Structure formats: C-alpha cells, structure tokens
Amino acid sequence: MPPSSPPDPRPPTSHERHAGQPWNASYLDGPAPWDIGTPQPAVVRLAESGGFCGPVLDVGCGTGDNALFIAARGLPVLGVDVAETALATARQAADDRGIEVAFAMADALHLQRLYRRFETVLDCGLFHTFDESERTEYAASLASVTDSGGTLYVLCFSDTGPDTGPHPVTRQALTAPFDDNPAWHIAAIAPEHLRTRFADSTSAWLATIERR
C-alpha cells in the first residue's frame, strides 16, 4: 500500500480506549498538549550532533515540528501519523515554509505497509502511549522499516524525577520489547526532558537503539 493511502481499518490503541476517543480528536479543538509548535530540544541536540542520517522516518509525527526541523537540514524525511488533522497541519506548515518533506497516514503498529526502509527512525512521545503487548508489536513494526545498521531514537516520559508525564515508563518497560527482539540492540539510555504545552521540562528517557 502506498504511504499516501489510508491504512486498513485498525482497532483502537490502548490510549484511545482509555481516552474514549481517537487520536485525531486531540487536534480538533486547538493544539494538543504535546503540540508545542517547535521541535523538541532533545531532537534539536540530536540533529546538531549529527544524530540523523537520511532517509529519516518520524513515527507519530503529529503536526510535524520535529520532521520539519530535520528536513530543513537537508535530509529526506517522512512523517507518519494516524491523525489526519495533524497531518494536514504539518503539510500546510511545510508548504508555508517551503520545506521539502513528506507526510502520510500510517499505523505505527504496521509500518511494513509503507514498503520503505529508513536509516534513522525517530519516536518522540509515542512509545509511552502503548501498553505492554502493543510495545512488543511496535518493536517488530519498527524493525520492519529500519535498515540494518540504522538507528532508532525513542524519547518518552520516564518515571524518574519530580515531574512525570501522564504515561511514565520505567527503564525496564522501555528496554523489554527491544531486548526481546533479536533485531535490536540498545546502545544507550539517558535521562532527558520532554516539553509540553503545560510544562517546559518533564522527565523523560532518550534511548538510542541500533538495528542489527
């Protein structure tokens, strides 16, 4: 299935079941809580240190701030999400700013349907929304589109520090689905921070995970 086509009907994720609404609803009444209008500081630091090589996949890209920032540095980038309203906003921002970047609707748990592979994959704020069984499926889905020798970055809320996000993840919960999948090797996990519309600094993990 080409990336521009709608995905097959999918069951709601655990986050959608708990919230009682689909992801797209988060964008219908103004910015979502995680939609800060700029790239995450951790993503900026990764980019400035040469952490991204193209082609790049931004999974759960939302309104595209991180994808736009990376693409503006000259890398080919595809941002994917299941929220069409967010994707429309991202495409408009790309047009307004004259940045060459692609956005497509795709299910993060079935990325093989993209029929593409990437050298770098970014997950900024998606991993922590999945439950345990979904994370196992997600690790396999990510492996299906990441080149051997490629790098996956996972930036997610952590359970450490005084200010935790709504879906805090333990270090063990972060490592488990990748330790259990022979396609992956966890190179590093470091404390980080995520910005939201309500807090400039929320405790997070930044995992650097290598595709075998």
Side-chain angles (χ1 to χ4, degrees):
M1 181 180 71
S4 59
S5 300
D8 293 337
R10 62 180 182 86
T13 63
S14 58
H15 174 86
E16 291 172 307
R17 293 194 302 270
H18 294 153
Q21 62 182 17
W23 277 110
N24 194 64
S26 301
Y27 297 92
L28 296 179
D29 297 317
W34 52 85
D35 191 358
I36 61 173
T38 61
Q40 285 288 336
V43 174
V44 173
R45 290 194 296 272
L46 280 174
E48 291 178 343
S49 66
F52 293 97
C53 299
V56 178
L57 176 65
D58 182 2
V59 186
C61 66
T63 54
D65 294 319
N66 294 317
L68 289 161
F69 174 77
I70 298 166
R73 299 176 67 87
L75 292 172
V77 180
L78 172 64
V80 299
D81 207 289
V82 296
E84 183 56 49
T85 299
L87 292 171
T89 300
R91 293 184 186 108
Q92 186 62 58
D95 288 345
D96 292 345
R97 294 161 58 180
I99 298 174
E100 186 174 346
V101 55
F103 293 101
M105 183 176 286
D107 184 348
L109 300 181
H110 297 282
L111 292 170
Q112 69 276 9
R113 296 173 181 170
L114 292 173
Y115 297 104
R116 291 181 58 180
R117 297 187 72 85
F118 301 86
E119 192 170 346
T120 313
V121 179
L122 173 66
D123 169 344
C124 182
L126 181 59
F127 179 89
H128 56 231
T129 69
F130 292 131
D131 65 17
E132 182 178 354
S133 63
E134 289 167 335
R135 289 169 187 167
T136 298
E137 187 176 4
Y138 184 43
S141 175
L142 290 166
S144 73
V145 293
T146 308
D147 281 336
S148 178
T151 303
L152 163 67
Y153 297 110
V154 177
L155 184 62
C156 64
F157 288 134
S158 81
D159 64 335
T160 64
D163 300 310
T164 58
H167 299 285
V169 174
T170 67
R171 186 186 182 100
Q172 181 179 3
L174 173 55
T175 60
F178 299 102
D179 283 338
D180 292 342
N181 189 314
W184 295 110
H185 166 67
I186 298 176
I189 297 179
E192 249 302 341
H193 295 90
L194 270 167
R195 284 186 58 195
T196 70
R197 292 183 57 235
F198 308 111
D200 285 337
S201 181
T202 303
S203 297
W205 300 115
L206 175 59
T208 302
I209 306 171
E210 298 170 349
R211 179 70 164 87
R212 297 184 193 273

